[in-house]
Amino acid sequence: MITQISRDDLSLLERAVRHFRGAEEADLVRAFADTPSALALVAADEAGILGWCWGHHLARPDSASMLYVHQLEVAESHQRRGVGRDLLRAFMEAGAKAGATTMFLATGEANVAARSLYESLGGGLATQGPTVNYWFLLDPR
């Protein structure tokens, strides 16, 4: 079952964070959930956490909006069973209902499984060709 996280589902999100990140930061989970742009979904069954997908619904100054997927992870024991596909579809549906018209994400060039999934769901390389990502470390003073 896939759950779109709301304030009522924070314990499920906390379980997913512990499962995939090993973190026990309940305050950080609450802060994320309280961020208006935050979007998170968790796949779970009676046995436990199967996967999660999280990112943001981003408003743009031209009145359009877009989705950003920061993380999609599936428990190793449930990979290649459609969990990632279901999570990504649910993420896209939630974003579309909220008004998003596009979605973007980044993955490693060598991550063939992820790239195959994204392409099977209609994703393609950016229209300007292969992209280059830059990361900046910020000083939170």
Side-chain angles (χ1 to χ4, degrees):
M1 174 163 70
I2 295 177
T3 302
Q4 183 175 337
I5 300 300
S6 69
R7 222 32 191 132
D8 298 330
D9 305 304
L10 290 183
S11 64
L12 181 60
L13 182 57
E14 288 171 356
R15 286 176 44 215
V17 170
R18 272 194 307 279
H19 181 86
F20 290 106
R21 294 286 170 244
E24 304 249 358
E25 303 288 337
D27 291 341
L28 295 176
V29 169
R30 281 193 233 36
F32 172 80
D34 286 341
T35 303
S37 67
L39 180 57
L41 295 105
V42 175
D45 66 10
E46 60 282 343
I49 302 295
L50 308 179
W52 72 334
C53 182
W54 64 272
H56 293 275
H57 177 210
L58 305 170
R60 296 174 18 167
D62 63 359
S63 77
S65 69
M66 60 199 312
L67 291 178
Y68 163 61
V69 177
H70 186 78
Q71 193 76 49
L72 171 64
E73 287 183 277
V74 175
E76 195 171 326
S77 61
H78 285 78
Q79 291 176 358
R80 305 195 72 73
R81 295 184 184 184
V83 175
R85 176 179 305 283
D86 291 346
L87 279 165
L88 201 54
R89 278 188 180 144
F91 192 89
M92 291 188 287
E93 288 172 11
K97 285 180 185 173
T101 57
T102 58
M103 181 178 83
F104 71 99
L105 55 80
T107 192
E109 183 178 19
N111 192 343
V112 176
R115 292 182 65 189
S116 295
L117 170 62
Y118 304 148
E119 290 169 13
S120 76
L121 290 172
L125 293 177
T127 56
Q128 68 268 26
T131 60
V132 177
N133 296 306
Y134 291 89
W135 292 90
F136 297 86
L137 297 177
L138 305 177
D139 185 2
R141 288 185 243 178

